[in-house]
Amino acid sequence: MLRRGFHPQGASLEHRHRVTPGSPTPILPPEHFSSPCPDYAVLSAWSHAEEIMAKEQEFSAAGGRWILYVPDVHLA
């Protein structure tokens, strides 16, 4: 499944359903991420990877894989 979208943890309601700066990628509420879970998700906030992956255990439990790019591109 390929779905584009971004949901920053704790994004304010005023930012939801807008787009990320410089791209057409929508800012979606967290519920959209798990209904249904995508096969892969790019985790761009690499410095918060452990915290985000801990909060998104449903994604991993459903077979979802994280794409990380620091220190190199790899699946988690």
Side-chain angles (χ1 to χ4, degrees):
M1 170 190 308
L2 177 62
R3 240 187 356 201
R4 289 182 62 181
F6 174 72
H7 84 87
Q9 295 289 335
S12 65
L13 292 174
E14 66 191 40
H15 290 123
R16 292 183 186 170
H17 302 289
R18 294 187 180 185
V19 296
T20 57
S23 80
T25 304
I27 299 173
L28 302 169
E31 302 80 47
H32 185 81
F33 185 66
S34 62
S35 179
C37 289
D39 298 325
Y40 295 91
V42 177
L43 204 161
S44 58
W46 59 268
S47 60
H48 301 281
E50 288 183 26
E51 175 186 352
I52 293 169
M53 288 189 286
K55 288 182 179 179
E56 297 293 346
Q57 290 180 0
E58 182 180 331
F59 168 69
S60 297
R65 302 285 308 269
W66 294 101
I67 302 171
L68 296 126
Y69 59 90
V70 173
D72 53 8
V73 178
H74 62 281
L75 295 174

